[in-house]
């Protein structure tokens, strides 16, 4: 199968298909082979963060001239940069500087890394109440900084209008693409939202086309929780298999198996939040009744807190302080138990043993995650004879969007006639 076919559309990339990419595949065209090699090197650099040419060639199994050619192209594009490097923990050989020097006489200790500063992508984070923008470098370990924020106005035209009015980088026309993260059930290949319980106006609108109209740049649409999972993968490349669960305005999941985002025929993944919980009468934005999300979204938790008769203020800080002082109230405990049971069901079904939790609950006293993890362990069959691993992690949405953007750069004609924006 031609790997180029596999990548048709704008599916988020898979950076972590390392070593196998350039080996064992026959009948590749030179362009597809180069792309596969390019992604292999970018995957290695994601892991090492900084390495010499020789180290990259060795770790990839490519010849030094082949690896050198690819690195040269990425340097010329402005995706990578050369620095004077000393050995750091995590770099592969421990003598990177010397090896680099051997390859490039007169330039000892030259190392390759992602360009950490120059904005290459416009990151757009469409959220229920707020939209955030950032100029993102070609660096999957970039900081999670979103300097421009504005309220999300309902309606495509209104939203596009407020988006177009914002200035994020000095020369947006020089960027390589726009990376949009959006909630809901998202058909990433078509660049459309199919269904969005918390943001109905985005449904069936041509989000990608509308954004392309503003900046005349390629637009990649990524479902918001999948962007978080990609971002986590960039920072924890050893976490090859996990279920990521995010608690926020909604409750969503994303699945990574063997270092790749799980993709299936339907544009529907990890929708844990819309599992009905018996005895829960609340109506959900999806049209259902009793969804888990109606117990554990930010809004639902604050409503639950206010309804419990607890002292004011009924805001997030007040809620957190109350839990710290008085422990987990029974209504919250029940919601955590329900979430644990739903998550355990997903682990049992998918055959996963690692849960990565991002978002709101990480901000609560540790007893809250302790309760959730206990409930997952109780329902997870793996815990009967093995160990379920839990990881409370930061949201790395910017990293995830950069990871999605890296695939654009691997396109065959990318960079032809293009001047780096630096
Ligand atoms: Zn629902």
């Amino acid at each position: 199968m031609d790997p180029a076919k596999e990548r048709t559309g704008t599916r988020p990339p898979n950076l972590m298909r390392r070593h196998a990419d350039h080996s064992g595949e026959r009948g590749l065209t030179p362009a597809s082979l180069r792309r596969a090699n390019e992604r292999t090197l970018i995957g290695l650099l994601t892991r090492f963060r900084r390495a010499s040419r020789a180290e990259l060639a060795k770790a990839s199994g490519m010849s030094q001239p082949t690896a050198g050619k690819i690195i040269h192209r990425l340097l010329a594009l402005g995706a990578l940069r050369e620095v004077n490097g000393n050995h750091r923990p995590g770099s592969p050989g421990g003598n990177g500087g010397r090896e680099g020097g051997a390859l490039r006489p007169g330039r000892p200790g030259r190392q390759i890394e992602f360009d950490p500063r120059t904005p290459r992508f416009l990151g757009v984070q469409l959220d229920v109440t707020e939209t955030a923008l950032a100029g993102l470098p070609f660096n999957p370990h970039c900081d999670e900084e979103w300097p421009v924020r504005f309220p999300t106005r309902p309606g495509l035209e209104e939203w596009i209008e407020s988006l177009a009015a914002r200035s994020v980088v000095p020369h947006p026309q020089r960027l390589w693409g726009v990376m949009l993260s959006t909630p809901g059930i998202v058909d990433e290949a078509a660049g459309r939202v199919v269904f969005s319980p918390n943001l109905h106006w985005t449904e069936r609108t041509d989000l990608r086309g509308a954004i392309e109209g503003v900046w005349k740049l390629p637009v990649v649409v990524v479902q918001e929780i999948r962007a978080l999972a990609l971002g986590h993968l960039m920072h924890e490349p050893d976490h090859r298999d996990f279920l990521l669960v995010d608690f926020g305005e909604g409750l969503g999941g994303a699945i990574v198996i063997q270092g790749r985002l799980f993709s299936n025929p339907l544009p529907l993944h990890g929708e844990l939040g819309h599992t009905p919980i018996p005895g829960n009468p609340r109506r959900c934005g999806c049209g259902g009744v009793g969804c888990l999300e109606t117990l554990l979204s930010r809004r639902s938790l604050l409503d639950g807190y206010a309804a419990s008769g607890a002292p004011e203020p009924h805001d997030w800080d007040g809620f957190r302080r109350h839990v710290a002082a008085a422990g987990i109230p029974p209504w919250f405990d029940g919601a955590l138990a329900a979430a644990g049971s739903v998550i355990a069901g997903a682990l049992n079904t998918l055959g996963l043993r690692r849960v990565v939790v991002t978002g709101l609950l990480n901000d609560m006293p540790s007893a809250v995650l302790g309760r959730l993890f206990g409930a997952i362990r109780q329902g997870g069959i793996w815990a009967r004879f093995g160990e379920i691993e839990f990881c409370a992690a930061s949201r790395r949405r910017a990293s995830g969007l950069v990871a999605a953007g890296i695939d654009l750069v691997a396109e065959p004609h990318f960079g032809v006639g293009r001047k780096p924006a630096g």
Side-chain angles (χ1 to χ4, degrees):
M1 180 208 222
D2 180 355
K5 286 257 170 60
E6 192 187 307
R7 294 182 50 258
T8 311
T10 54
R11 288 187 174 286
N14 160 38
L15 300 178
M16 307 315 296
R17 282 170 68 205
R18 293 181 307 277
H19 311 270
D21 269 343
H22 59 280
S23 63
E25 293 179 14
R26 289 191 193 94
L28 292 178
T29 63
S32 68
L33 184 62
R34 177 183 61 68
R35 270 202 305 283
N37 282 342
E38 205 161 86
R39 267 179 282 141
T40 299
L41 283 186
I42 289 173
L44 285 170
L45 211 49
T46 301
R47 175 172 291 261
F48 300 150
R49 300 201 177 206
R50 185 183 283 185
S52 70
R53 286 172 166 79
E55 285 165 344
L56 288 170
K58 189 176 170 199
S60 68
M62 289 173 215
S63 70
Q64 290 198 1
T66 301
K69 241 165 91 176
I70 294 168
I71 292 166
H72 178 78
R73 174 181 180 261
L74 293 170
L75 285 169
L77 272 175
L80 306 181
R81 69 173 191 176
E82 264 185 310
V83 289
N84 284 316
N86 295 314
H87 171 62
R88 298 161 310 101
S91 90
N95 58 347
R98 286 196 298 281
E99 281 189 34
L103 261 182
R104 301 280 303 259
R107 302 176 72 188
R110 299 299 273 175
Q111 300 232 315
I112 306 297
E113 64 175 22
F114 294 108
D115 179 340
R117 277 191 293 270
T118 317
R120 301 300 184 188
F121 306 108
L122 176 64
V124 180
Q125 196 180 150
L126 170 57
D127 213 336
V128 177
T129 53
E130 191 180 62
T131 297
L133 308 177
L136 304 174
F138 188 88
N139 176 16
H141 311 117
C142 62
D143 292 333
E144 196 66 35
E145 281 172 12
W146 295 86
V148 178
R149 293 168 179 275
F150 54 92
T152 299
R153 292 165 67 195
L156 181 65
E157 270 179 42
E158 293 87 338
W159 183 70
I160 285 287
E161 194 179 285
S162 45
L163 189 65
R166 261 66 185 193
S167 160
V168 187
V169 296
H171 303 288
Q173 68 280 6
R174 291 193 202 160
L175 293 173
W176 294 346
V178 181
M179 303 292 132
L180 170 71
S181 132
T182 178
I185 292 169
V186 181
D187 184 344
E188 292 172 343
R192 283 168 185 269
V193 176
V194 177
F195 184 67
S196 191
N198 302 315
L199 214 55
H200 282 295
W201 66 262
T202 58
E203 292 164 5
R204 291 175 295 279
T205 58
D206 184 8
L207 268 180
R208 181 160 68 197
I211 298 172
E212 276 169 357
V214 178
W215 287 291
K216 315 282 184 280
L217 290 168
V219 176
V220 177
V221 179
V222 187
Q223 201 273 345
E224 62 171 6
I225 313 298
R226 284 163 62 86
L228 293 180
L230 266 181
H232 183 74
L233 204 48
M234 297 301 101
H235 286 264
E236 298 289 347
D238 291 330
H239 287 184
R240 308 274 296 156
D241 304 276
F242 60 87
L243 173 69
L244 182 141
V245 184
D246 182 73
F247 294 85
E249 303 297 332
L251 196 172
I255 302 144
V256 169
I257 293 177
Q258 293 178 347
R260 311 184 65 179
L261 269 178
F262 176 66
S263 294
N264 44 310
L266 293 180
L268 179 69
H269 329 264
E271 288 293 342
L272 304 169
H274 299 286
T275 308
I277 304 302
N280 173 20
R282 297 185 186 183
R283 294 200 163 275
C284 178
C286 76
V289 175
C291 291
L292 178 63
E293 184 168 292
T294 68
L295 299 173
L296 277 167
S297 71
R298 182 188 176 84
R299 187 70 262 154
S300 317
L301 286 171
L302 290 180
D303 287 349
Y305 180 53
S308 71
E312 294 204 38
H314 293 151
D315 59 11
W316 192 258
D317 256 1
F319 178 40
R320 187 174 44 198
R321 280 200 304 274
H322 179 74
V323 172
I328 301 173
W331 62 270
F332 188 23
D333 187 80
L336 291 168
S341 162
V342 169
I343 294 168
L347 297 182
N348 293 345
T349 307
L350 293 163
L352 292 173
R353 56 180 281 273
R354 177 178 278 123
V355 183
V356 176
V357 175
T358 57
L360 280 182
L361 296 189
N362 299 1
D363 191 32
M364 295 295 283
S366 59
V368 170
L369 280 186
R371 176 68 177 104
L372 176 69
F373 294 165
I376 296 172
R377 231 178 251 120
Q378 211 178 341
I381 296 175
W382 192 263
R384 311 269 196 280
F385 48 86
E387 206 176 315
I388 297 180
E389 280 183 34
F390 299 99
C391 171
S394 304
R395 283 180 174 144
R396 305 278 194 186
R397 189 161 285 138
S399 290
L401 290 180
V402 171
I406 283 173
D407 224 29
L408 275 182
V409 178
E411 289 300 320
H413 300 295
F414 185 86
V416 176
R418 178 185 291 273
K419 272 188 137 171

